[in-house]
Amino acid sequence: MADETPGARAGEGPRNGPGGRRGDAPRYLPIAEHGLIGDLRSAALVGTDGTIDWYCCGRFDAPSVFASILDADRGGSFELAADVPARAKQFYFPDTNVLITRFFADGGVGEIQDFMPVVDGSREADRHRLIRRVVCVRGTLPFRARIAPRFEYGTVPHTLHLDDGQAIFDSPALKLALTSTVPLEADGQDVWSLFKLGEGESAVFAIDRIDDDVPPRFCAVAEAEREFNATVAYWRRWLSRSRYKGRWREMVHRSALTLKLLTYAPTGAIIAAPTTSLPEQIGGERNWDYRYVWIRDAAFCVYAMLRLGFTEEAEAFMTFLSEHVRLDDPDTTAPGGPLQIMYGIDGRRDLPERELPHLEGYRGSAPVRIGNAAVGQLQLDIYGALVDSLYLYDKWGQPLSSAHWDGISALVDWVCDNWDQPDEGVWETRGGRKAFLYSRLMCWVAIERAMRLAQHRGLPADTVRWGTARDDIYRRIMSRGWSDVRRAFTQYEDSDILDASLLMMPLAKFVSPTDPKWLATLDALGEDLVSDSLVYRYDPQASPDGLQGEEGTFSICSFWYVEALTRAGRIDEARLAFEKMLTYANHLGLYAEEIGHAGEQSGNFPQAFTHLALISAAFNLDRKLG
């Protein structure tokens, strides 16, 4: 596990105040210096210095309460740490999503146990409780805490009512109760505490969403102990269902636990990431809101979960599709196609994008955005990802219903009519539509998997029409997607530009992994887009994407590369590339979207896409190694 000193934050020290962050503490931790906790409804990022830098109460896409990761001064935070110079280390309680941050000082050793209890669909699920238990495990240590919420992304003021160990933060749309087993003091609209613990002593802070139906409830030391044990038991019970017994069990299981954290239990939605606007490049504009359900990401996530034996998560996502995406009765007359590329976690279709100019962005990386304008893009690849996941769900989970099959048939009919349209592509470029090869590939997958499903189950299908379209796509890719100049398949038709999404060609079973044309493409990708096992999506200079600045290597592509090498029989290369990728994980085994030039993680964190690709790469590499 990585250790971190109080000097890990980048930038100048912000405010100084009673119980607050040390005056010499820099303003921003590296993105990777965080752990994630959650309750299958919302999530929080906890820094290695003990500060909660990001928290949206009740829902992943709710306005933030703590957002100092996007603005150290105006975003709000929950600081909690040893009040003396100390080294800090962070780890997950084994086989759980309970996060432990330990402080090592001359006077002793203490730790913070951060977790959010997971409850069922009862009224108690509306409480949305976050518990921070502080324990001195050796010697004696002083601690400091400062709780400074900033509601609605820091735009809405609140009032503070402090009385007898309880603070009520009251804003028009959200009311939070903070209870504490140590004394609290007011400082304007914030509260702080300085306290000392001896060996074996503990203190508890608990934040609850409250309203007329959910009253404040004190969290005593004994109750915190019960909640801790129940939360540990929940996560261990869930993980025990995993079928993975391979070489990289710890990393695969951490990825599975992370994907589960990104599930919104009330609807079965699976989000792409729990954060917004963490930059792909410091100071750049590639900052997006990922707290929504991408059909592609969620479908791939279902594949990863099914691989490990977690069929309930796949079934919950099927429910989301049926109830909110109209999978049973898709509107094939909609101008943008029967499916949007993304939806809200409650199934809403409208996700207007806007900027928050009052927030400076992570390390000055403006703009901070909420909502996502890409919702209106045409991305044809989503149909292949979805139908493939439904095919696998029928194979490994539960047989699809007749209504589901009617919906799938309608989607495939639409794909047969529309596969040759130009679109924005898998990378959501804002540089205009093109005839992207990956989109063609996944349209082929949609038709091929549907035909396979129809044959396996004896389901009614227009197989003559579907087969004709499938074969037309294959021939089109082989003729116009191949460049004699590059001796490789290319990003879009009649071009000479490479793209890492092509790594999916053998993974999707479109081409043999040892086909000479594919092996030539794999070599070309290795020469042009791979750097020490890390893979760039494409070259934005050669293929402008409508955005300024550069980006790092894309971690999902790096794991696709591992899998492509594996399937090509280049096992030693694949294993080395995989082991190298594991060194780029953070101290907890988590990945953001991208990795920068110095090995730093960038983009929204943690990223579902990356973790599901890790699971798939590990599974297939294990199988080849025997």
Side-chain angles (χ1 to χ4, degrees), residues 6 43 70 101 211 220 224 265 291 320 374 406 417 421 477 491 500 512 569:
L70 296 177
T101 307
D211 58 23
R291 299 171 297 159
F320 175 83
D406 290 342
D417 291 334
Q421 292 188 58
I477 291 176
Q491 183 183 60
S512 164

Side-chain angles (χ1 to χ4, degrees), residues 511-543:
V511 66
S512 164
T514 56
D515 185 291
K517 281 191 171 182
W518 169 248
L519 293 177
T521 302
L522 185 59
D523 288 339
L525 291 170
E527 292 170 5
D528 280 31
L529 296 182
V530 178
S531 172
D532 188 42
S533 83
L534 301 176
V535 182
Y536 291 94
R537 292 189 291 184
Y538 52 88
D539 179 358
Q541 301 301 316
S543 180

Side-chain angles (χ1 to χ4, degrees), residues 497-564:
I497 297 167
L498 298 180
D499 191 299
S501 64
L502 303 176
L503 290 163
M504 278 293 292
M505 294 180 77
L507 277 57
K509 303 186 186 304
F510 175 86
V511 66
S512 164
T514 56
D515 185 291
K517 281 191 171 182
W518 169 248
L519 293 177
T521 302
L522 185 59
D523 288 339
L525 291 170
E527 292 170 5
D528 280 31
L529 296 182
V530 178
S531 172
D532 188 42
S533 83
L534 301 176
V535 182
Y536 291 94
R537 292 189 291 184
Y538 52 88
D539 179 358
Q541 301 301 316
S543 180
D545 55 15
L547 297 166
Q548 299 296 316
E550 300 176 351
E551 63 174 16
T553 57
F554 217 66
S555 292
I556 186 175
C557 298
S558 301
F559 285 118
W560 283 350
Y561 184 58
V562 170
E563 194 163 343

Side-chain angles (χ1 to χ4, degrees), residues 136-429:
C136 182
V137 296
R138 297 183 70 184
T140 301
L141 274 184
F143 290 88
R144 68 183 188 279
R146 185 181 187 91
I147 300 88
R150 298 293 182 265
F151 293 89
E152 299 281 336
Y153 304 105
T155 61
V156 174
H158 66 273
T159 58
L160 170 66
H161 306 279
L162 182 61
D163 181 37
D164 193 26
Q166 176 176 275
I168 304 296
F169 302 99
D170 196 349
S171 75
L174 179 64
K175 183 185 294 188
L176 295 179
L178 169 72
T179 60
S180 171
T181 60
V182 294
L184 298 173
E185 301 287 342
D187 179 25
Q189 294 178 314
D190 307 336
V191 297
W192 60 273
S193 181
L194 295 173
F195 58 98
K196 183 177 288 188
L197 297 177
E199 187 168 324
E201 294 180 331
S202 62
V204 176
F205 297 87
I207 293 179
D208 292 88
R209 188 197 72 84
I210 60 172
D211 58 23
D212 293 341
D213 295 324
V214 184
R217 191 178 77 203
F218 187 75
C219 187
V221 171
E223 180 172 352
E225 176 76 17
R226 288 193 298 271
E227 295 271 32
F228 177 89
N229 291 333
T231 305
V232 166
Y234 170 84
W235 288 114
R236 288 184 167 172
R237 187 168 56 250
W238 180 83
L239 190 61
S240 69
R241 291 160 36 207
S242 170
R243 292 199 303 249
Y244 181 79
K245 309 296 181 185
R247 293 166 177 80
W248 297 284
R249 188 167 177 266
E250 184 175 352
M251 288 298 291
V252 167
H253 281 174
R254 178 50 51 199
S255 291
L257 284 162
T258 302
L259 293 178
K260 181 63 172 176
L261 271 182
L262 301 183
T263 302
Y264 184 63
T267 64
I270 303 169
I271 62 170
T275 56
T276 180
S277 301
L278 295 184
E280 297 175 18
Q281 179 189 23
I282 300 300
E285 65 172 337
R286 298 169 184 261
N287 317 319
W288 315 110
D289 192 347
Y290 277 9
R291 299 171 297 159
Y292 306 113
V293 185
W294 266 254
I295 291 295
R296 174 194 311 110
D297 298 43
F300 282 151
C301 190
V302 167
Y303 165 80
M305 288 297 200
L306 286 170
R307 273 289 191 204
L308 300 179
F310 296 110
T311 56
E312 288 182 10
E313 285 65 33
E315 187 173 344
F317 182 63
M318 286 293 298
T319 301
F320 175 83
L321 291 174
S322 299
E323 295 181 354
H324 302 291
V325 185
R326 297 184 63 187
L327 178 62
D328 295 348
D329 183 25
D331 181 6
T332 55
T333 64
L339 299 181
Q340 291 186 174
I341 69 165
M342 75 180 87
Y343 297 83
I345 57 175
D346 54 2
R348 70 187 188 281
R349 303 172 68 89
D350 189 25
L351 305 172
E353 183 178 298
R354 63 186 177 94
E355 297 181 1
L356 302 179
H358 66 285
L359 297 178
E360 71 171 5
Y362 175 79
R363 291 180 58 188
S365 301
V368 171
R369 294 183 174 96
I370 56 173
N372 200 307
V375 68
Q377 289 189 353
L378 177 65
Q379 297 176 19
L380 293 169
D381 68 281
I382 64 174
Y383 296 94
L386 179 61
V387 176
D388 192 31
S389 69
L390 296 176
Y391 164 77
L392 294 172
Y393 176 73
D394 182 86
K395 181 178 179 180
W396 294 335
Q398 297 292 326
L400 295 173
S401 68
S402 57
H404 284 147
W405 178 246
D406 290 342
I408 292 171
S409 297
L411 290 178
V412 174
D413 285 338
W414 185 89
V415 170
C416 289
D417 291 334
N418 293 275
W419 66 264
D420 61 347
Q421 292 188 58
D423 69 347
E424 277 86 5
V426 61
W427 306 132
E428 298 179 358
T429 61

Side-chain angles (χ1 to χ4, degrees), residues 12-16 20-26:
E12 299 300 322
R15 59 182 177 272
N16 220 345
R21 184 183 292 146
R22 299 178 67 87
D24 59 350

